[in-house]
Amino acid sequence: MAGTQRYLRYIVFALICLVLLFFISSSSSGSTVSWPAGYNGNEAVSTPEAIKTGSLEQLQSSPSTTPNDNKQLPPATVPGDRMNATFVTLARNSDVWEIAKSIRNVEDRFNRKFNYDWVFLNDDDFNDEFKSVTTALVSGKTRYGKIPKEHWSFPEFIDQDRAAKVRDEMKEKKIIYGDSISYRHMCRYESGFFFRHELMLEYEWYWRVEPSIELYCDIDYDTFKFMAENKKKYSFVLSLYEYVETIPTLWNAVKNFTKAYPEHVTEGNMMKFLSDDNGDSYNHCHFWSNFEIGNLNWLRSQAYIDYFESLDHAGGFFYERWGDAPVHSIAASLMLKKEEIHFFNDIAYYHVPFTHCPTGEKYRLDHKCHCNPKDNFDWNGYSCTARYYEVNGMEKPAGYEKEQ
Ligand SMILES: Nc1nc2c(ncn2[C@@H]2O[C@H](COP(=O)(O)OP(=O)(O)OP(=O)(O)O)[C@@H](O)[C@H]2O)c(=O)[nH]1
Ligand SMILES: *[C@@H]1O[C@H](CO)[C@@H](O)[C@H](O)[C@H]1NC(C)=O
Ligand SMILES: *[C@@H]1O[C@H](CO)[C@@H](O)[C@H](O)[C@H]1NC(C)=O
Ligand SMILES: [Mg+2]
């Protein structure tokens, strides 16, 4: 008797197990959740039914309280020619996750439609993780370049002791990056060398991207083509006043340059953006260079090279802490015609701590922007963008007063 009872109990237990197994297996195929891969064997995360059955349109056309006929996604790749252009990023291996965020932003808002190349430059070798993560994210071709030693070291005319003393003093004064050697090499490299890296020689246009930036609006047209068709050579989204302690003699060095090379100063330039007294002194306005779309052949021109060499020999990259932003901005404002510098009001952008959020609600809604217009820096007193409008005789966008 006891043997039969135990036998029956086994059968009931086995039946319960079978029923349970049936439920688990049938429900998991229709469920949106399952164990993460590697947690319980190597099961892959299952896919929502609508995607598996190909009814993605149903998901997209689900009822909405504000009807909108214009909800189709733009094509993944916009037809037509591409420009001779590339993204360019200077980065360390340790920047990988911060640059990954930037790439994802740029791809989602722009490059998934255009698939431009992306050049990464580093004073060290990029490791496999950096290369595989960035290559997976970029829709165009990715290329990795090592910076030659002579572009990332102290030139022989620099007095090392004097430079070291300055770093100590700046540290004492708590000037941001004031005691950093690598930051100075970075600023000098971005000022005078990135456009001559052998990988960059293959392109005419560049768009500079730094780690941890954000783009907040869809960009539906080819910004490089825009630059070419409108005869633009340099562009910006944010402008501000430079920290004076980092550039005390920069303007004197610029004046020495313009005296030695008057032929490089272009007529119809934007000197008024830089100076309120016709060039006597610098007002410290500059375009923020962590975003740039520009023409590489201009940076490779004799005029720009003479300018960079002249500043480099003045020593301020090491005896002070000259940034590439004022260096590029002064060059653009003196050596280009003012019409050749473009303000990309439509590119909504963030680099800590400033935001450019386009003024004008219609534009923001039409381009699916997700920035808060209250964060827009343009009409703030520390921005130089109002001055840019004034010196170019441009009318400020409607509603700008409300953002001051
Ligand atoms: N390879 C390499 N890249 C660097 C080095 N220092 C800075 N960079 C890169 O140069 C660019 C500017 O450096 P950041 O540290 O962003 O300088 P910043 O924008 O003035 O300051 P943050 O507010 O910290 O962003 C970024 O793309 C960095 O990844 C370095 O020593 N080596
Ligand atoms: C792209 O521009 C570079 C620099 O001007 C030039 O050397 C190269 O030949 C161009 N490539 C194409 C495909 O036009
Ligand atoms: C500019 O030139 C003068 C005269 O040669 C020189 O004394 C001065 O140090 C130079 N200034 C800078 C910042 O290079
Ligand atoms: Mg940065």
Side-chain angles (χ1 to χ4, degrees):
M1 244 350 240
T4 325
Q5 260 181 10
R6 202 189 306 152
Y7 182 66
L8 270 174
R9 249 188 274 143
Y10 280 138
I11 289 182
V12 169
F13 180 72
L15 275 173
I16 289 172
C17 287
L18 267 173
V19 167
L20 272 175
L21 257 175
F22 174 77
F23 268 107
I24 289 169
S25 65
S26 68
S27 73
S28 79
S29 67
S31 139
T32 55
V33 230
S34 78
W35 301 112
Y39 177 80
N40 186 19
N42 268 333
E43 244 180 295
V45 176
S46 69
T47 319
E49 203 59 40
I51 291 176
K52 280 202 302 193
T53 57
S55 54
L56 199 57
E57 306 88 290
Q58 279 171 13
L59 281 180
Q60 281 162 5
S61 63
S62 58
S64 151
T65 48
T66 49
N68 183 347
D69 305 336
N70 189 22
K71 282 283 185 198
Q72 303 97 309
L73 293 170
T77 294
V78 168
D81 299 339
R82 291 295 177 267
M83 299 295 290
N84 187 356
T86 185
F87 288 91
V88 60
T89 293
L90 175 67
R92 294 153 289 212
N93 287 313
S94 59
D95 294 319
V96 61
W97 299 112
E98 297 307 313
I99 196 61
K101 284 187 218 168
S102 299
I103 295 171
R104 184 71 209 201
N105 269 268
V106 171
E107 286 290 335
D108 287 350
R109 291 301 197 168
F110 174 81
N111 203 40
R112 70 186 180 83
K113 292 163 270 182
F114 297 96
N115 319 130
Y116 279 107
D117 293 357
W118 204 306
V119 172
F120 296 90
L121 301 174
N122 188 354
D123 55 309
D124 194 2
D125 290 307
F126 281 116
N127 61 28
D128 290 341
E129 182 190 44
F130 189 100
K131 289 195 256 190
S132 57
V133 168
T134 52
T135 294
L137 289 169
V138 174
S139 61
K141 195 160 63 164
T142 47
R143 313 179 70 184
Y144 301 87
K146 188 165 183 178
I147 295 169
K149 195 91 211 133
E150 59 278 18
H151 291 174
W152 195 279
S153 43
F154 291 93
E156 26 61 40
F157 52 79
I158 292 297
D159 174 347
Q160 292 281 344
D161 296 335
R162 184 177 162 195
K165 217 170 127 239
V166 169
R167 292 196 299 275
D168 288 343
E169 287 163 11
M170 285 199 173
K171 185 183 183 155
E172 207 56 25
K173 290 191 207 153
K174 298 198 164 51
I175 292 171
I176 185 167
Y177 300 117
D179 62 335
S180 170
I181 296 177
S182 67
Y183 193 85
R184 285 182 169 79
H185 287 314
M186 181 278 285
C187 290
R188 180 169 175 262
Y189 187 77
E190 294 285 24
S191 296
F193 299 103
F194 82 92
F195 48 85
R196 323 188 227 180
H197 189 280
E198 61 167 336
L199 292 177
M200 297 303 287
L201 293 178
E202 295 179 29
Y203 301 94
E204 186 181 355
W205 301 94
Y206 73 105
W207 178 335
R208 173 168 163 186
V209 176
E210 282 204 2
S212 320
I213 61 116
E214 290 184 59
L215 292 184
Y216 295 117
C217 302
D218 281 350
I219 305 166
D220 295 326
Y221 64 96
D222 187 334
T223 51
F224 297 115
K225 203 171 272 180
F226 172 89
M227 294 285 287
E229 285 173 355
N230 293 280
K231 300 193 165 59
K232 305 290 183 187
K233 295 276 168 61
Y234 191 77
S235 67
F236 71 99
V237 289
L238 281 157
S239 71
L240 64 159
Y241 292 93
E242 181 58 303
Y243 195 10
V244 189
E245 280 84 347
T246 65
I247 52 161
T249 73
L250 175 59
W251 194 248
N252 278 338
V254 169
K255 287 207 265 188
N256 284 355
F257 160 75
T258 56
K259 208 164 155 208
Y261 296 94
E263 70 274 23
H264 290 335
V265 179
T266 298
E267 220 170 299
N269 66 21
M270 217 195 281
M271 172 64 100
K272 280 201 162 71
F273 178 74
L274 306 173
S275 174
D276 306 332
D277 49 20
N278 220 6
D280 200 33
S281 65
Y282 180 35
N283 60 24
H284 309 121
C285 276
H286 66 287
F287 309 121
W288 221 17
S289 63
N290 47 64
F291 168 98
E292 286 178 329
I293 298 176
N295 185 291
L296 293 161
N297 288 339
W298 168 57
L299 292 172
R300 291 186 287 248
S301 69
Q302 196 57 52
Y304 188 88
I305 298 295
D306 286 341
Y307 167 81
F308 171 73
E309 299 274 299
S310 177
L311 295 193
D312 198 28
H313 279 82
F317 290 109
F318 298 104
Y319 302 145
E320 295 177 4
R321 207 219 65 196
W322 294 353
D324 51 285
V327 170
H328 286 180
S329 305
I330 292 170
S333 304
L334 293 183
M335 299 196 279
L336 296 177
K337 291 190 194 308
K338 64 180 193 294
E339 300 77 28
E340 292 178 311
I341 302 177
H342 182 62
F343 171 45
F344 273 110
N345 184 40
D346 50 354
I347 299 187
Y349 177 83
Y350 173 78
H351 176 293
V352 65
F354 299 120
T355 299
H356 167 65
C357 187
T359 305
E361 187 179 30
K362 181 166 177 4
Y363 178 85
R364 291 195 303 266
L365 295 177
D366 286 349
H367 294 84
K368 303 175 170 62
C369 304
H370 72 286
C371 52
N372 181 345
K374 291 204 182 86
D375 295 335
N376 184 26
F377 183 65
D378 297 356
W379 316 115
N380 180 301
Y382 292 103
S383 166
C384 293
T385 298
R387 175 189 298 271
Y388 172 87
Y389 271 74
E390 281 147 25
V391 304
N392 287 289
M394 290 161 61
E395 200 167 323
K396 290 180 199 123
Y400 86 93
E401 311 90 335
K402 284 184 261 164
E403 292 182 5
Q404 269 175 321

